[in-house]
Structure formats: C-alpha cells, structure tokens
Amino acid sequence: MRGLLGRIRTPLVCSRRITVIGAHSGCGRVTTTLTLGSVIAAVRQEPVLALDGAPTLGSLYGRLAHRHSATLRDLVRLPVTSSYADISRFTTHESSGLEVIGHGAARPVPSPAYDDEYRRVMAMAEQHYPVILTDWASARLGAAAEAVLELTDQLVLCCTATQQSLEAAQQLMRTLQDGHPDLVQKAVVVMAKLNGVEATLRGGEIAERLGYFLPLAGVLVPFDTHLSSRREIQLGRLKPRTADAFVQLASRVVAGPASRR
C-alpha cells in the first residue's frame, strides 16, 4: 500500500488530464470520477479539479450535495491567466480537497463555441491543478468529444461486472481505437459490482471477458452502500476493500507520464 500511495504522490511536471467515460448509463462513471478525484486530492494534499466535459449534461454538478452556484460558463469569462484564488471562487469544495465545477442544469443546446470554451477552461486550470478529471457523460463521440480526447493524458473506462456491460465497453473501445489508439492502449477499465445484479460475472469470467482489453489494466470495485447512496462521498465511510480499489486505480492513472499532442 505504501508503494501505491507513493505513486499517487508522484511529482508532476505538468497537469495530469484524466477523462472518465462510461460504456453506458448507470455504470458508475460519476461515482468513479468523484471518488477517484477525492482519493487523489486527499493523498497528494493538493487541490484536484473535476469538471463536466459533455457540452449539454451536468452530471457531476447534479451529484453534489452542497453545490456552488457558479458553472463552467462563468469560469470561461475569466482571463486565461487567472490565479488559483480567482478560479477556486467558482468551484464547489469537497471535504477531501476535490474541487468540482459543472454545467448546472442540463443545457438542451450546446454552445456553438463549446470546443474553444473547453480548451480555454483547461488552459486556465492546468496552470494551478496538478490533476484534472473530466467526466464525459454523453453516449455520443462527436466533435465535442474530440476536443476532450485531444486534451486527455489518461482514459478511464467505466462499466459493470456483467456480460452485457463488458460487451458495451468492448464496443466503445473499438470505436475509440480508430482515432485514439494511444489512449486505448494505456486505458484503465473500472468494473463496478452492483448490488442485486444477478448476472454479475465471477472473477475468472471477468478475466476471460477482458481478453479484448489486454494489455489494458482493470480495477474491480466491490459494491459499497456508501457510494450507492448518492450522498457526498466521504472517504472515511468507504469499505476497506473499496478504498483499496480506488487507491489502486489512482496509482495507475496518476503516475504515468503526461503526453502532450
């Protein structure tokens, strides 16, 4: 465990940009983003930023129990050279040290300049946050997704430990393989076990189904009542096995060298 914590604390020469996507809705993507960000912030003892990436969906913002009224659109209005203090005034601060900013209510029509807006926010944030997590809520991979993927150093793919979910994850990876083979090559798959799901696969079956993903890394997250409650995530309330899984995940996504394309 000490070695894993050391990897999470690895000094970074530039901001580490992590994008979390889901094979389908209800696969634990938002929970993974917030828990992973909380673990990284708590271990590094540095501010970590999580933001809504899809142009019309505010999934992170909707999950927060005590949210700041500001949204990503407010942040875009700041100068690119804004200080950390200026930016953090617009974020929701979680007890772990994670900061979150999102879209607020769902935006039915995306901004025609969303690609540029996202790039502007990232240019501002990467000056002050050693790790930035982007939650990609949309099932579509269009021009807006390309803007996000182009500014991604590490991809995290979420699914559940079921046959249908793993097949959906495989299909998504095949789609991403064409334009972003480097991200697929080093992606980490997070499989969540859901309570009451009869079709949950056993360990050996999961390993067999993951054959397509090799050499991708996989992390299995056990069912945890605290994470399923949709309340503010408090790391001290996680089951030990759950905490261990997210420490393992954090060590895999933080320690790798950032790639600038």
Side-chain angles (χ1 to χ4, degrees):
M1 180 61 69
R2 182 177 300 178
L4 296 180
L5 295 177
R7 287 174 61 84
I8 299 172
R9 297 189 183 104
T10 298
L12 300 171
V13 296
C14 53
S15 182
R16 183 79 168 152
R17 305 169 302 191
I18 302 168
T19 298
V20 185
I21 61 175
H24 50 80
S25 61
C27 64
R29 188 201 70 254
V30 176
T31 299
T32 295
T33 303
L34 293 175
T35 309
L36 174 60
S38 294
V39 168
I40 296 172
V43 174
R44 292 183 66 92
Q45 291 293 290
E46 293 178 309
V48 171
L49 181 66
L51 53 88
D52 282 315
T56 60
L57 299 172
S59 298
L60 286 186
Y61 189 88
R63 175 69 186 269
L64 299 176
H66 306 287
R67 63 180 69 98
H68 194 293
S69 59
T71 67
L72 276 169
R73 182 160 290 181
D74 297 309
L75 196 60
V76 169
R77 299 189 179 103
L78 295 178
V80 175
T81 56
S82 294
S83 67
Y84 167 73
D86 290 334
I87 296 173
S88 66
R89 288 189 299 108
F90 290 85
T91 63
T92 297
H93 292 246
E94 299 286 88
S95 58
S96 63
L98 177 67
E99 298 180 32
V100 184
I101 189 166
H103 293 315
R107 294 159 59 178
V109 179
S111 167
Y114 183 75
D115 294 7
D116 292 334
E117 291 176 0
Y118 179 81
R119 291 187 176 93
R120 182 182 179 86
V121 169
M122 291 295 286
M124 295 167 56
E126 64 185 9
Q127 300 176 65
H128 307 291
Y129 295 90
V131 180
I132 304 172
L133 295 98
T134 297
D135 178 81
W136 180 259
S138 176
R140 301 181 62 182
L141 297 176
E146 284 302 309
V148 172
L149 293 170
E150 287 171 7
L151 297 180
T152 297
D153 299 311
Q154 175 68 58
L155 192 66
V156 174
L157 170 60
C158 298
C159 62
T160 64
T162 63
Q163 177 176 338
Q164 183 177 7
S165 184
L166 284 170
E167 289 175 351
Q170 290 173 349
Q171 181 56 51
L172 178 57
M173 279 298 166
R174 292 188 186 98
T175 300
L176 291 170
Q177 180 71 39
D178 292 338
H180 303 277
D182 53 336
L183 290 180
V184 172
Q185 179 72 16
K186 59 188 178 183
V188 178
V189 181
V190 179
M191 296 155 287
K193 281 197 170 184
L194 304 181
N195 191 36
V197 178
E198 297 179 359
T200 296
L201 300 173
R202 297 180 181 273
E205 295 172 311
I206 292 174
E208 181 180 353
R209 296 286 178 180
L210 279 178
Y212 169 79
F213 292 114
L214 296 177
L216 275 61
V219 176
L220 182 63
V221 177
F223 174 75
D224 194 310
T225 53
H226 177 56
L227 294 183
S228 66
S229 67
R230 297 189 63 80
R231 297 177 180 176
E232 179 183 350
I233 294 170
Q234 299 178 22
L235 299 181
R237 297 187 61 185
L238 296 178
K239 294 179 180 179
R241 289 179 57 205
T242 306
D244 289 349
F246 276 100
V247 167
Q248 181 185 24
L249 173 61
S251 73
R252 293 183 176 181
V253 300
V254 171
S259 59
R260 293 293 186 257
R261 291 179 293 278

